[in-house]
Amino acid sequence: MATFKQTIAAVIAPATGLDAEAIEAAITLPQHDGHGDFSFPCFPLAKTLRKSPALIADELARSLIPPQGFSKIEALAGYLNFFVDKALFAQRVLGEVLTQGAAYGNSTEGAGKPVVIDFSSPNMGKELAFHHLRGTMIGNSLSRVYAKRGHPVTRVNHLGDWGTSYGKLIVMFVREGLGEKDLPTLTLEHLNRLYKAFSQAAEKEPELENAAREAFAKLEAGDAYFHVLWNAFREVTLVELRRLYAILNVDFDSWVGEAFFANRLQPVLALLEEKKLLTTSQGAEVVDLEAFGATGMPPALIRKTDGSTLYITRDLAAALYRQAEYAFDRSFYVVDNGQSLHFQQLFKVLELLGCDWASRCEHIPFGLVLHKSEEGNWEKGKTRSGHSSLLKDVLEGAREKIAAIMAEKNPDAGKDVDLALRIAVGALVFSEMKNRRLNDIRFEWEQALSFEGDSGPYVQNAHVRLCSILRKAGIQLNSFYPKDLDGVRWGIYEEPASFAVAELLSQFPDRVGAAAISRDPCTLAQYALSLADATHRFLHGSRVLGSDEERERLLLVRAARSVLAQALELVGVPAIERM
Ligand code: ARG
């Protein structure tokens, strides 16, 4: 079906000789009541037609006949304003939303264009910290958005399961007199303690750093006992990771991380040799990027003096593997801002290796999550001064606070642990996703967990209200029969609060597209918020059940419910049905 903009362009083009696409691009959405729903500025025509924009607009308004879907065309100060026929508009939008259900907003844009999304990708042997939530949820959201756009999507968790940190763990494990017999009862908390113990001990005994490097080199060289330890450390971490991902409802298609590639470096190293990219610097092998035209870029360190390999070497192998395995059109790396240089170097080396797809690899950075320190300064979250910033603790803390708020409102609801957790997840996720991806966030508990304002619970609550009306009306979510649209009095949707909802519903497919193009779920979080606002306003002003307009209003409730659930789902906020 032609969009409103296309329909407008189709009438303006023959009357002006302008290109239809250019007209579409020029059309704006007026912000003032009385200025219509779509506006075409006549200013660019003044030169060619040698008339004032106001005169051009007047003449066009008089000669053009409103196309189907529009009630009138008016000229105002050089603009040609188009007024949609609200009843017809509502009919069109609600018809589309209800017949398509969960497929509303889908597109085939991405068909045949596979996308690989590397996200979360935490370092193993450590607990997930609260700051991991942001990248994990941005990647999760983008993977859903791209899938909705028709792209074959591969979600990769590039586990940080290789590197010197394993040397540190091994050193401490052995030093504490632990052995293979202790592995079955090993916990992630214990590993975390080993980490901290290492850092503290290494301050007094700097030679420990060397011991850790040696232990890792031994592991890389294939030491059987160290391999057993490494594997146990990794497994213990995975169990906890899986538990947290399940709470967040995040999943992955691939879990191959750095260790996997550490064993598959030969092709990359051979290619680097072949292209004569490696030089030796202080015993280490590097790609001197500056010498290859990347002004100001430090060299990429490929192999250390002791022969052990590095993060970037494994990332090179992973990139080649991903292209071979998935033939991606785009390869995204959702990783914080701090690693920008790493990715610039990575993509540059790929380019030098002659990979023509290097330009289709993209780092998708995001800003920091800041916490207020005791002195009142905003700082990067660190586990300090007693209060923990582990993701599991933040989730549990949020769940407890939500349960307490719920118990106050309704003593029975407060006992539903699972529901409180889902609201808590929504609150934390929404508080991050509503911000532009690149902005730093100042995380505030009060604001995030509030049931009012631009918070997750507020948006979830709009969904809950819609669900509860449908439940009372005995209507199954997502049920739809073509006869539901027979004899509907479409004029009823002209009422402003209803029309505002319908108008937002019509924008959903565009917003999904905008989130994909900007690679920023914030667009959809803000959309969910607008739709929640419009929903609350509509429900505040209009009784649905038992009113004369019950049938029409119920249709709007169903459509709004369906789209709001989708928007929440795309953002990663649970669309709960009760609260
Ligand atoms: N493990 C890394 C870290 O925690 C992130 C890995 C991102 N992905 C990648 N392919 N480098 O900093």
Side-chain angles (χ1 to χ4, degrees):
M1 199 192 289
T3 64
F4 284 109
K5 286 188 185 179
Q6 285 165 342
T7 309
I8 293 173
V11 293
I12 297 182
T16 57
L18 287 177
D19 173 60
E21 274 183 27
I23 299 174
E24 260 190 76
I27 293 172
T28 59
L29 306 179
Q31 301 300 323
H32 295 282
D33 283 348
H35 289 194
D37 302 289
F38 296 91
S39 208
F40 175 71
C42 297
F43 306 94
L45 286 171
K47 228 183 187 158
T48 36
L49 299 182
R50 299 172 167 284
K51 281 184 217 165
S52 76
L55 191 62
I56 300 170
D58 283 341
E59 287 178 3
L60 283 172
R62 237 172 293 128
S63 65
L64 297 179
I65 298 165
Q68 210 218 356
F70 291 86
S71 56
K72 59 178 173 180
I73 306 174
E74 279 180 4
L76 187 75
Y79 285 90
L80 199 56
N81 294 335
F82 287 73
F83 293 74
V84 296
D85 175 333
K86 293 194 159 64
L88 207 69
F89 179 94
Q91 177 173 16
R92 197 148 120 179
V93 178
L94 293 187
E96 271 181 42
V97 172
L98 292 166
T99 48
Q100 296 174 23
Y104 177 65
N106 284 9
S107 89
T108 52
E109 175 73 23
K113 290 184 228 158
V115 172
V116 174
I117 308 188
D118 174 331
F119 67 102
S120 201
S121 307
N123 292 333
M124 308 289 282
K126 286 186 194 164
E127 307 244 28
L128 277 196
F130 180 45
H131 69 80
H132 283 111
L133 183 68
R134 195 169 183 195
T136 301
M137 298 318 289
I138 291 173
N140 173 67
S141 177
L142 291 182
S143 68
R144 292 180 184 178
V145 166
Y146 273 81
K148 192 159 177 64
R149 302 263 293 164
H151 293 269
V153 173
T154 307
R155 289 158 295 185
V156 178
N157 198 342
H158 184 77
L159 299 175
D161 54 3
W162 206 245
T164 328
S165 53
Y166 278 91
K168 297 182 184 172
L169 287 176
I170 291 172
V171 165
M172 289 318 279
F173 189 80
V174 173
R175 211 166 119 118
E176 290 202 353
L178 301 168
E180 222 166 327
K181 60 169 186 351
D182 301 299
L183 293 179
T185 51
L186 189 68
T187 61
L188 189 54
E189 283 88 359
H190 193 163
L191 286 181
N192 262 346
R193 279 203 301 278
L194 289 182
Y195 248 123
K196 284 195 200 122
F198 180 92
S199 313
Q200 280 164 6
E203 273 176 26
K204 289 182 221 108
E205 312 165 53
E207 61 281 8
L208 271 182
E209 297 283 356
N210 270 334
R213 263 194 295 276
E214 273 161 32
F216 175 60
K218 225 169 131 186
L219 175 64
E220 272 214 311
D223 183 277
Y225 179 53
F226 281 8
H227 189 84
V228 168
L229 295 185
W230 165 80
N231 195 45
F233 297 168
R234 187 177 182 277
E235 284 305 313
V236 165
T237 319
L238 273 178
V239 170
E240 172 65 359
L241 276 184
R242 291 212 156 92
R243 186 183 76 85
L244 290 171
Y245 290 139
I247 292 175
L248 300 173
N249 194 19
V250 168
D251 43 29
F252 297 92
D253 305 298
S254 163
W255 295 74
V256 298
E258 296 192 42
F260 178 88
F261 295 107
N263 292 312
R264 286 165 183 76
L265 294 175
Q266 225 27 62
V268 190
L269 295 173
L271 203 56
L272 285 162
E273 297 277 356
E274 188 196 311
K275 301 273 173 181
K276 303 206 174 5
L277 293 180
L278 292 176
T279 43
T280 312
S281 160
Q282 298 163 355
E285 285 178 89
V286 305
V287 180
D288 183 351
L289 293 168
E290 190 131 44
F292 291 108
T295 324
M297 211 185 272
L301 188 52
I302 303 291
R303 207 160 21 183
K304 288 197 233 172
T305 330
D306 62 5
S308 63
T309 57
L310 287 129
Y311 182 48
I312 193 165
T313 327
R314 296 186 279 276
D315 250 334
L316 283 166
L320 293 173
Y321 174 88
R322 288 173 194 173
Q323 176 58 25
E325 193 78 1
Y326 309 114
F328 60 73
D329 177 58
R330 299 260 165 205
S331 181
F332 295 153
Y333 297 81
V334 183
V335 185
D336 66 86
N337 253 336
Q339 294 195 28
S340 291
L341 178 61
H342 166 75
F343 287 104
Q344 284 166 24
Q345 292 176 309
L346 174 66
F347 302 157
K348 183 69 193 169
V349 176
L350 288 171
E351 184 195 311
L352 294 172
L353 287 176
C355 305
D356 55 3
W357 42 266
S359 59
R360 288 185 272 117
C361 293
E362 241 179 85
H363 175 208
I364 312 228
F366 52 88
L368 299 170
V369 179
L370 305 172
H371 298 264
K372 212 177 208 149
S373 70
E374 258 145 40
E375 301 76 44
N377 303 321
W378 289 98
E379 334 187 305
K380 211 171 146 173
K382 275 262 151 56
T383 319
R384 79 156 69 88
S385 60
H387 64 90
S388 164
S389 59
L390 295 183
L391 179 55
K392 65 169 189 192
D393 294 338
V394 175
L395 277 169
E396 180 51 23
R399 189 198 62 73
E400 277 169 14
K401 290 195 169 91
I402 293 283
I405 299 173
M406 284 166 70
E408 225 170 81
K409 296 193 177 194
N410 166 2
D412 284 336
K415 293 187 194 114
D416 191 337
V417 173
D418 194 50
L419 185 59
L421 185 57
R422 278 155 55 83
I423 299 174
V425 167
L428 296 175
V429 172
F430 192 84
S431 77
E432 301 199 339
M433 308 296 268
K434 70 176 186 186
N435 297 284
R436 289 244 152 259
R437 172 162 60 74
L438 283 163
N439 289 356
D440 289 346
I441 298 175
R442 296 178 165 190
F443 180 76
E444 282 174 285
W445 278 101
E446 285 275 296
Q447 207 287 321
L449 301 186
S450 158
F451 280 61
E452 317 289 329
D454 50 353
S455 70
Y458 170 81
V459 182
Q460 286 177 313
N461 182 244
H463 186 259
V464 166
R465 285 180 78 187
L466 295 167
C467 287
S468 124
I469 294 172
L470 295 177
R471 202 157 46 235
K472 284 185 198 138
I475 296 175
Q476 296 272 335
L477 302 187
N478 296 319
S479 66
F480 176 73
Y481 306 97
K483 69 167 170 28
D484 291 349
L485 298 177
D486 290 350
V488 172
R489 295 165 298 167
W490 299 106
I492 283 174
Y493 302 105
E494 288 176 14
E495 181 275 313
S498 314
F499 189 72
V501 174
E503 204 166 20
L504 275 169
L505 297 181
S506 79
Q507 290 169 11
F508 179 63
D510 271 1
R511 294 296 190 99
V512 177
I517 290 162
S518 61
R519 289 113 170 82
D520 193 348
C522 162
T523 311
L524 282 166
Q526 290 297 340
Y527 173 79
L529 189 58
S530 311
L531 186 53
D533 276 339
T535 298
H536 282 306
R537 224 170 294 133
F538 161 65
L539 294 179
H540 181 74
S542 335
R543 190 154 56 94
V544 177
L545 300 175
S547 70
D548 288 344
E549 295 82 11
E550 173 172 312
R551 179 151 186 244
E552 282 76 13
R553 289 186 180 155
L554 273 174
L555 279 187
L556 193 62
V557 166
R558 284 159 72 181
R561 209 270 336 147
S562 162
V563 174
L564 186 55
Q566 276 213 63
L568 287 175
E569 160 89 1
L570 290 175
V571 172
V573 172
I576 51 176
E577 292 170 24
R578 298 166 195 268
M579 71 199 300

